[in-house]
Amino acid sequence: MGNFELPTVSVARFEGGAPDNYQAGIEDALSYQGGIDQFVKPGQRVLLKPDFMYDYPGNHGLTTSPEFIAAVARMVKNLGAEAVIGDSPFVLRGEMDDFWRNTGILDVAQRDQLELVNFEMSGSRAVALETKVYYVSRAVLEADVVINLPRLKYDSRVGIAGGVRNMLGTLPGFQKGRLYKEFSNGRNLAGALVDIFSAVRPTLKIAEAVPCDGRRQSSIDNEIFAVASSDTVALDTVLAEILRLDACKVFTTRVAAEAGLGIGWLE
């Protein structure tokens, strides 16, 4: 077996609340990756892809925190690059402006002068992978850099909602729901999610995680973890460990590792 370099996954703990706390915590995690300037250069258009699957009242803890996203956006802008935020929700009950408002990202974007991109309106482009075609948002495909910002949580079908599954939101419209209906088997669904991930291949991944008690999540004492890596599969492997799951039983991690898209074993 030839020599290869193992990826680094870094974890930083910090208290939420003030915007400066988020930025300091994320910078701490990224310091072990060489800093954000290893991934972003001046003049680039950088798309931040949070996890905004839905905006049901009371479920804000299951979406990426607005201040977490804004902290990364400020770091990008400080490098002289352009930061834009975009996602396609799994469930959209009204207009996209209502969704931005309900999740709290609209207020933060206006405060920090950040652009919000509506994937439903920005168009899509066909990406052919083996026997299937996916229509991926043009805003994603045309960005110079994609930074993946998932919010760690369980997923009953594939194990965890981590970095690989978060790329599902790069498909505008009803494609997402059709995939979940088409693939009732968790492993088969994972294969489709890995396909989508392989089409996008985000440059940097920074997951937001909060302490877990069984299958419930809550910000205990405002404690938050930033988990960062350039390898999404390695990131998801560590996220599975945080949730006390066997990474081999997380279908997205296993399928992605078998496809050679990253390192999928904790050892």
Side-chain angles (χ1 to χ4, degrees), residues 53 88-91 120 124 132-136 157 168 171-185 188-189 192-193 196:
M53 287 196 71
S88 175
F90 196 89
V91 177
E120 320 305 322
S124 60
K132 196 164 184 66
V133 176
Y134 299 94
Y135 293 88
V136 180
R157 298 283 295 279
L168 177 65
L171 305 185
F174 298 107
Q175 300 177 78
K176 299 176 290 295
R178 285 199 295 267
L179 279 176
Y180 266 71
K181 288 181 180 179
E182 180 181 353
F183 299 106
S184 58
N185 178 279
N188 292 339
L189 174 61
L193 295 174
I196 297 162

Side-chain angles (χ1 to χ4, degrees), residues 7-235:
T8 298
V9 179
S10 48
V11 182
R13 182 176 61 185
F14 63 96
E15 290 187 4
D20 287 349
N21 290 1
Y22 282 87
Q23 188 156 341
I26 295 169
E27 285 178 345
D28 187 13
L30 290 178
S31 68
Y32 296 94
Q33 307 294 327
I36 196 168
D37 56 349
Q38 297 297 308
F39 307 93
V40 176
K41 304 303 177 187
Q44 289 183 321
R45 182 175 175 86
V46 180
L47 176 79
L48 308 185
K49 167 61 179 76
D51 183 350
F52 278 156
M53 287 196 71
Y54 40 67
D55 65 338
Y56 292 140
N59 278 337
H60 297 297
L62 300 179
T63 60
T64 313
S65 301
E67 291 295 358
F68 194 93
I69 303 163
V72 179
R74 286 193 299 273
M75 295 166 65
V76 169
K77 290 178 68 177
N78 288 342
L79 289 175
E82 179 185 10
V84 299
I85 302 164
D87 197 6
S88 175
F90 196 89
V91 177
L92 184 60
R93 297 178 294 150
E95 300 296 326
M96 198 64 200
D97 286 346
D98 297 326
F99 187 95
W100 296 134
R101 187 176 297 106
N102 292 341
T103 54
I105 193 61
L106 181 61
D107 290 341
V108 169
Q110 291 175 340
R111 181 196 70 195
D112 291 355
Q113 297 182 319
L114 301 171
E115 180 184 349
L116 298 175
V117 179
N118 184 342
F119 286 179
E120 320 305 322
M121 300 295 292
S122 62
S124 60
R125 196 166 72 209
V127 177
L129 294 168
E130 295 186 357
T131 60
K132 196 164 184 66
V133 176
Y134 299 94
Y135 293 88
V136 180
S137 168
R138 286 185 177 274
V140 176
L141 296 176
E142 294 173 1
D144 297 309
V145 176
V146 175
I147 298 181
N148 189 1
L149 301 175
R151 170 81 176 212
L152 174 61
K153 52 185 178 287
Y154 291 96
D155 183 290
S156 61
R157 298 283 295 279
V158 296
I160 65 168
V164 172
R165 203 206 71 167
N166 196 39
M167 291 298 98
L168 177 65
T170 63
L171 305 185
F174 298 107
Q175 300 177 78
K176 299 176 290 295
R178 285 199 295 267
L179 279 176
Y180 266 71
K181 288 181 180 179
E182 180 181 353
F183 299 106
S184 58
N185 178 279
R187 185 179 176 91
N188 292 339
L189 174 61
L193 295 174
V194 169
D195 276 349
I196 297 162
F197 162 71
S198 69
V200 178
R201 298 294 292 272
T203 304
L204 175 64
K205 306 86 191 173
I206 315 167
E208 180 184 24
V210 298
C212 300
D213 177 13
R215 291 184 177 267
R216 297 175 61 84
Q217 289 184 301
S218 61
S219 292
I220 302 170
D221 296 328
N222 237 5
E223 188 178 47
I224 299 172
F225 294 86
V227 188
S229 184
S230 61
D231 184 325
T232 304
V233 184
L235 178 89

Side-chain angles (χ1 to χ4, degrees), residues 240-254:
E241 177 71 9
I242 290 174
L243 292 183
R244 303 183 182 91
L245 295 175
D246 183 349
C248 292
K249 296 180 180 178
V250 175
F251 289 125
T252 45
T253 304
R254 184 171 178 175

